[in-house]
Amino acid sequence: MSLRDHSASSRPQHGAWWTHDNALQRVVTDLLAHELAALRPGRPPPAPPWPPGLQFVRDLGADSLELMALGTALAEALHLQRTAVDAQLLARPCLGDWIASARAGLDAATAAEPAAAPALTFRTSGSAGSPKRCTHPLATLGQEVAALADLLPGRRRILCAVPAHHIYGFLFTVLLPWHLGCAPDDAGAVEVIDVRQAGPAALGGLARAGDLVVAHPGWWAAAARVVPAFGPDIVGVTSTAPCPDDVAAALAAAGLRLLQVYGSSETAGVGWRDGAGAPFALLPYWRRTDDPGTLVRVLPDGTMRDTPLQDKLDWRDAVRFLPAGRIDAAVQVGGTNVFPAYVAEVLALHPQVDAAAVRLMRPDEGARLKAYVVANAAADVDALRAELPAWAAQRLTTAERPVAWTFGPRLPRQASGKPADWIIDA
């Protein structure tokens, strides 16, 4: 399938995405739920969607510091700082009021600087110590959505199993339906349906011809087990982590066309494929360079920008590639990038731990992190073995927490002195 060049500006404008359907409500709710969960490890808030009348203090028990953190996160993500919405948010701690304030802030910012390119800021998981802020002009996100729309003709509904405040969810469940609803050859608005609470097993009864199902690899792996066949003209899309080839092949055998999008929060979408194991093809505004760690992006105004990559790429030709491992040594756990070296540093902060090593389990062991711990001479190893998982849970996210613990007198090494793998304790 060929793609048009979307470096020009002759596409639907996305400046008023927040007026489309309930897009802003979904973005705000998902962002606040994520932030509140991060503020309260082990005490997740109610799962979205939330009713507009939800009161943060009365219904969620939020205190003043949590309200400040939530307001800051919202202002940062939507670039509302210049509109003085912070005070408005704190004065009215209700979801519906915050959505209204965000909409007013976006309108005011656009009216004040109509020629300025709006932008949004997304954050990575923060596995390396603190979340990384990734800011993208709305024009470049719209450029990507226009290219993706060419790959997804005929979509009338979007079933979403991902949050709208992450860049992947924002592109496919906020900007894409807005683009399709504004396109000259489209008959009208594209409905967005949240299926996170329904789960993969319900997909067979929910999906119909013309649907696009937006999910992540873990969700698709479950769907491959419980949905024996898909109806005609149903398309799926997956991103956030590599989709195993056996999962993609099983879904294809069941009649689903699965579009896999390769990218990151830093780059947004870079390439796509719709066949298990096939090379990815660059989206039309990317160009390969002689630097293996960099691509060039052709921006909507025709200028070009060097963009660092997060992965090594194994190039098959000028536009086709396969990812070949993270440059920054991150691994995927449940669709989240985590950094084993950082987790090991946290474990070594325990006063009874001399050293620690952390690795992703081998496929025969599982799909989570495992830890090897060297206790100091004064430690009671049995007591430390019982205490350390709970201690780590207070300092690490769910994806970062090791689920298998091995204790020994020294870190495992090869004869060359390089770190070695180890067998998990029974």
Side-chain angles (χ1 to χ4, degrees):
M1 181 182 296
S2 62
L3 292 173
R4 297 190 298 272
D5 182 2
H6 295 283
S7 59
S9 58
S10 58
R11 296 170 302 283
Q13 297 300 307
H14 300 273
W17 63 265
W18 53 90
T19 67
H20 179 64
D21 195 19
N22 64 345
L24 184 60
Q25 179 174 341
R26 290 188 291 108
V27 171
V28 172
T29 302
D30 286 346
L31 173 64
L32 297 180
H34 173 82
E35 292 295 324
L36 193 56
L39 292 167
R40 301 172 170 181
R43 293 191 297 139
W50 293 348
L54 181 138
Q55 299 278 344
F56 302 136
V57 177
R58 182 194 67 195
D59 300 325
L60 300 179
D63 60 28
S64 60
L65 293 179
E66 290 171 334
L67 287 175
M68 180 68 73
L70 295 176
T72 299
L74 181 59
E76 175 189 74
L78 300 182
H79 289 218
L80 303 176
Q81 295 89 337
R82 293 170 296 174
T83 65
V85 296
D86 293 356
Q88 299 176 34
L89 296 179
L90 295 178
R92 299 183 298 175
C94 171
L95 178 61
D97 288 338
W98 280 34
I99 293 169
S101 291
R103 181 175 290 110
L106 289 165
D107 287 339
T110 303
E113 297 185 58
L120 291 99
T121 294
F122 305 92
R123 281 192 287 170
T124 59
S125 62
S127 300
S130 61
K132 182 177 180 180
R133 290 159 177 79
C134 303
T135 298
H136 293 273
L138 205 55
T140 61
L141 298 177
Q143 181 187 38
E144 176 175 346
V145 163
L148 293 171
D150 285 350
L151 298 169
L152 300 166
R155 299 309 95 196
R156 295 299 174 189
R157 299 195 310 171
I158 294 178
L159 310 185
C160 65
V162 298
H165 74 291
H166 288 164
I167 189 168
Y168 170 49
F170 187 82
L171 285 164
F172 277 93
T173 75
V174 175
L175 285 193
L176 180 63
W178 172 248
H179 177 99
L180 295 176
C182 292
D185 57 350
D186 193 86
V190 174
E191 184 181 10
V192 179
I193 302 170
D194 192 329
V195 298
R196 285 176 288 180
Q197 302 307 311
L203 185 59
L206 290 173
R208 64 191 190 205
D211 282 354
L212 173 67
V213 185
V214 183
H216 55 81
W219 199 94
W220 283 119
R225 295 195 298 269
V226 298
V227 182
F230 291 87
D233 194 26
I234 297 172
V235 179
V237 64
T238 184
S239 192
T240 73
C243 184
D245 288 345
D246 60 339
V247 171
L251 293 168
L256 181 79
R257 179 191 171 216
L258 183 67
L259 180 71
Q260 300 182 45
V261 178
Y262 165 79
S264 67
S265 296
E266 293 86 351
T267 61
V270 170
W272 66 278
R273 67 181 181 186
D274 57 7
F280 288 87
L282 285 176
L283 289 166
Y285 43 81
W286 289 107
R287 304 288 183 267
R288 181 183 176 183
T289 72
D290 294 332
D291 181 353
T294 302
L295 288 177
V296 167
R297 177 162 187 159
V298 182
L299 299 175
D301 64 3
T303 61
M304 297 187 180
R305 180 186 67 199
D306 289 345
T307 302
L309 289 168
Q310 305 304 304
D311 291 317
K312 303 171 186 176
L313 301 182
D314 178 10
W315 290 96
R316 302 307 171 90
D317 54 36
V319 298
R320 298 186 309 140
F321 65 90
L322 287 171
R326 296 283 292 189
I327 293 174
D328 58 5
V331 298
Q332 289 276 339
V333 176
T336 299
N337 290 332
V338 298
F339 295 78
Y342 167 72
V343 176
E345 290 174 2
V346 172
L347 299 182
L349 295 175
H350 190 285
Q352 297 182 26
V353 173
D354 270 350
V358 176
R359 286 191 173 211
L360 186 66
M361 290 176 168
R362 298 192 306 269
D364 61 301
E365 295 174 330
R368 298 287 296 275
L369 295 183
K370 60 181 181 179
Y372 192 103
V373 177
V374 178
N376 62 36
D380 180 333
V381 175
D382 290 336
L384 181 61
R385 186 190 299 270
E387 172 194 344
L388 195 53
W391 183 92
Q394 296 176 348
R395 294 160 175 82
L396 298 168
T397 66
T398 299
E400 291 171 329
R401 298 168 194 166
V403 297
W405 301 82
T406 300
F407 289 75
R410 64 189 63 86
L411 294 180
R413 299 281 179 180
Q414 303 175 16
S416 64
K418 294 181 180 180
D421 200 359
W422 62 90
I423 297 173
I424 294 174
D425 283 350

